[in-house]
C-alpha cells in the first residue's frame, strides 16, 4: 500500500476471487461484493462462485456458465473448459434465475411446493431432471416458455409437468409443442391410488401387521371407492364444470382493439348445461364403477375419496401416502411396481428433443 493511499490494488488491474461465500456469512455475501465493486470501479473483478444468491443478486456485467472441465496435460496442468457466456441473463425473471443457476442441464418445472405430492413423486421418478416446484399450472407454463424462448440458454432443457385438469386433447397437444406435458390421469393425487399402487400397499400392510389379506383389503377398497364416488359426485361434477368454464374463459382473450374501443369480447356459457353434462358423466361412472380403474379418470384431489380408500384398507391417509412415498425411493418389488405403474401415466420426458 502506498503512503496516503488506501488502495491495495492499482487501477486497471484484474482481481480474481474464488468462492467468496466460503468465508462470509450468507446474508452479507452479495451486499459486500456489490459494495466492493462500487467502491473500486477502476478495476475489474472475476468471481468464481456456486452461490445462487451472490450470482443472482450481484452487479454482474458478464456471466459465464462453466459446466465442466477436462485435464489435457499435467506439466503444467492445463484444462479444457466447457463454458458459455449467458448473454441475456438479466432479461430472465429473478425467480427463474435462481432456478436456473442451480440447475442441471435438464430442468423440470412442476406444480406445488417442495412438500407437495407432485414434487415428492416426480423428484424420484425423474432422477435425471432437476425438479423445481413453481406453484400453479400457469406459473409452470410461463417458466418453461420464458426459458425456452431465450436462445442464449440452449444448454438448458426446460420442460413442465402439470395436472391434466380436464384439458381437452387439442390443448394438451398445443402445450406439448411448448415443452409442457400433462398427466395421463386428472391430477397427481390420482397416481397414489392407481389399482396396482393400492394393491402394493395392501400387500405391505398385510406383511407388516397380518389381519385382512391382500384380496380382502382390495375388495374393501373397491367397495369404498364406489360408495365415496357416489357421495362425492356433486363436488366432482362441480370441479369438471369449473375446468370447462375456465377453458372457455381462457380462450376468450381481450385484444388490443377491444381495449382501444372500450369493448370486451362477449363471453357466454350455459352454466346449467355444463354442470348437467358433468353430472351425467359422473353418474355414468358411478353406475359402472366395479373396480379401482375409475381412479384413472376421476379427479379425486380435494375430495375424501383417497382418505376413505386408505381407511378401508386398514390405515389412514397420511400413513398410506407415506408408505407410497417411501416405496418409490426403494428398489423393493413393491417399490418397483409402484414406480412402473405411475410412469405409465406420466409423459416420457426424454422422448424427442426440446
Amino acid at each position: 500500500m502506498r503512503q496516503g493511499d488506501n488502495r491495495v490494488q492499482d487501477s486497471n488491474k484484474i482481481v480474481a476471487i474464488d468462492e467468496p461465500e466460503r468465508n462470509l456469512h450468507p446474508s452479507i455475501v452479495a451486499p459486500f461484493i456489490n459494495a466492493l465493486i462500487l467502491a473500486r470501479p477502476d478495476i475489474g473483478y472475476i468471481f468464481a462462485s456456486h452461490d445462487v444468491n451472490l450470482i443472482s443478486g450481484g452487479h454482474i456485467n458478464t456471466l459465464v456458465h462453466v459446466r465442466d472441465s477436462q485435464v489435457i496435460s499435467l506439466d503444467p496442468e492445463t484444462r479444457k473448459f466447457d463454458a458459455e457466456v449467458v448473454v441475456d441473463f438479466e432479461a430472465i425473471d429473478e425467480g427463474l434465475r435462481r432456478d436456473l443457476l442451480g440447475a442441471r442441464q435438464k430442468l423440470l418445472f412442476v406444480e406445488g411446493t417442495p412438500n407437495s405430492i407432485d414434487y415428492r413423486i416426480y423428484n424420484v421418478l425423474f432422477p435425471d431432471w432437476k425438479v423445481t416446484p413453481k406453484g400453479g399450472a400457469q406459473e409452470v407454463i410461463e417458466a418453461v416458455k420464458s426459458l425456452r424462448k431465450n436462445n442464449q440458454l440452449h444448454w438448458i432443457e426446460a420442460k413442465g409437468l402439470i395436472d391434466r385438469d380436464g384439458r381437452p386433447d387439442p390443448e394438451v397437444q398445443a402445450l406439448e409443442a411448448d415443452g409442457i406435458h400433462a398427466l395421463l390421469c386428472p391430477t397427481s393425487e390420482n397416481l397414489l391410488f392407481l389399482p396396482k399402487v393400492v394393491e402394493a400397499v395392501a400387500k405391505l400392510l398385510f406383511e407388516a401387521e397380518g389381519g385382512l389379506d391382500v384380496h380382502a383389503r382390495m375388495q374393501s377398497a373397491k367397495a369404498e371407492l364406489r360408495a365415496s364416488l357416489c357421495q362425492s359426485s356433486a363436488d366432482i361434477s362441480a370441479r369438471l364444470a369449473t375446468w370447462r368454464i375456465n377453458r372457455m374463459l381462457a380462450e376468450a382473450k381481450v385484444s388490443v382493439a377491444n381495449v382501444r374501443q372500450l369493448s370486451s369480447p362477449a363471453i357466454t356459457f350455459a352454466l346449467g348445461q355444463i354442470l348437467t353434462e358433468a353430472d351425467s358423466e359422473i353418474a355414468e361412472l358411478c353406475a359402472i364403477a366395479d373396480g379401482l380403474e375409475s381412479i384413472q379418470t376421476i379427479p379425486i384431489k380435494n375430495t375424501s375419496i383417497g382418505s376413505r380408500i386408505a381407511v378401508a384398507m386398514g390405515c389412514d391417509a397420511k400413513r398410506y401416502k407415506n408408505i407410497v412415498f417411501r416405496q418409490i425411493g426403494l428398489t423393493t418389488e413393491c417399490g418397483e411396481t409402484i414406480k412402473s405403474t405411475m410412469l405409465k401415466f406420466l409423459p416420457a420426458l426424454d422422448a424427442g428433443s426440446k
Side-chain angles (χ1 to χ4, degrees):
M1 181 182 297
R2 295 189 296 270
Q3 186 176 1
D5 191 346
N6 62 358
R7 296 181 300 175
V8 295
Q9 183 60 270
D10 294 331
S11 297
N12 301 316
K13 299 292 185 179
I14 299 292
V15 175
I17 303 177
D18 184 34
E19 299 187 53
E21 68 271 15
R22 297 186 65 178
N23 298 301
L24 295 171
H25 191 277
S27 65
I28 68 168
V29 175
F32 178 79
I33 295 300
N34 286 335
L36 181 64
I37 294 172
L38 293 174
R40 290 297 307 275
D42 56 318
I43 62 178
Y45 294 90
I46 298 175
F47 298 99
S49 177
H50 298 281
D51 188 347
V52 172
N53 292 317
L54 170 59
I55 301 172
S56 183
H59 293 295
I60 300 173
N61 291 326
T62 303
L63 177 67
V64 180
H65 179 247
V66 181
R67 293 184 287 273
D68 196 6
S69 68
Q70 179 182 2
V71 177
I72 57 177
S73 66
L74 295 176
D75 189 19
E77 181 178 304
T78 306
R79 288 178 177 269
K80 178 181 179 181
F81 289 90
D82 179 10
E84 185 168 1
V85 176
V86 182
V87 178
D88 294 333
F89 187 67
E90 290 300 324
I92 303 173
D93 171 80
E94 180 180 356
L96 279 182
R97 274 189 273 163
R98 291 179 177 273
D99 297 331
L100 178 63
L101 288 167
R104 306 183 187 120
Q105 291 186 356
K106 294 181 177 182
L107 184 58
L108 177 63
F109 293 108
V110 302
E111 296 182 75
T113 68
N115 295 319
S116 65
I117 290 173
D118 309 63
Y119 178 77
R120 296 183 71 177
I121 292 177
Y122 305 150
N123 195 45
V124 175
L125 297 185
F126 297 108
D128 295 333
W129 294 75
K130 182 193 176 185
V131 179
T132 303
K134 294 299 290 183
Q138 193 57 42
E139 285 76 18
V140 171
I141 293 170
E142 291 173 357
V144 174
K145 288 185 176 180
S146 176
L147 292 184
R148 287 168 68 92
K149 73 180 180 182
N150 191 316
N151 294 329
Q152 298 298 328
L153 300 176
H154 59 82
W155 46 272
I156 286 289
E157 183 175 3
K159 290 190 176 182
L161 182 55
I162 59 178
D163 289 348
R164 196 172 188 90
D165 284 351
R167 291 179 173 84
D169 289 341
E171 181 180 351
V172 170
Q173 293 165 5
L175 287 170
E176 285 181 357
D178 288 325
I180 299 105
H181 299 266
L183 299 181
L184 301 183
C185 57
T187 69
S188 57
E189 184 89 7
N190 292 72
L191 295 171
L192 299 175
F193 296 94
L194 295 169
K196 286 192 174 297
V197 176
V198 174
E199 185 177 9
V201 174
K203 181 178 180 180
L204 288 168
L205 289 171
F206 176 64
E207 292 174 349
E209 58 194 37
L212 296 177
D213 62 18
V214 176
H215 176 73
R217 291 177 194 266
M218 290 296 289
Q219 290 300 112
S220 181
K222 291 176 183 179
E224 190 57 44
L225 170 61
R226 182 166 186 172
S228 58
L229 173 58
C230 294
Q231 292 178 17
S232 302
S233 60
D235 291 336
I236 298 173
S237 296
R239 181 172 295 276
L240 290 178
T242 300
W243 284 343
R244 291 168 188 175
I245 292 169
N246 284 335
R247 298 280 91 72
M248 296 170 67
L249 292 174
E251 292 172 359
K253 295 180 180 178
V254 176
S255 67
V256 173
N258 291 142
V259 174
R260 287 176 176 171
Q261 298 168 11
L262 299 180
S263 65
S264 61
I267 304 174
T268 59
F269 50 83
L271 177 57
Q273 179 181 345
I274 294 174
L275 185 56
T276 297
E277 291 174 352
D279 284 338
S280 177
E281 291 177 25
I282 299 303
E284 184 177 345
L285 286 172
C286 288
I288 63 175
D290 57 357
L292 291 173
E293 287 72 20
S294 301
I295 289 292
Q296 299 170 182
T297 56
I298 297 171
I300 65 170
K301 183 179 287 187
N302 298 325
T303 71
S304 63
I305 293 177
S307 296
R308 292 178 61 169
I309 289 175
V311 171
M313 292 176 62
C315 64
D316 59 27
K318 182 177 180 180
R319 184 185 176 198
Y320 179 97
K321 291 177 181 179
N322 284 338
I323 290 174
V324 175
F325 294 143
R326 173 172 170 75
Q327 287 298 313
I328 61 175
L330 302 176
T331 57
T332 60
E333 180 181 352
C334 284
E336 293 300 323
T337 296
I338 291 173
K339 284 185 282 190
S340 63
T341 299
M342 289 182 172
L343 284 170
K344 292 177 182 178
F345 291 83
L346 294 168
L349 297 180
D350 291 312
S353 63
K354 63 175 180 176

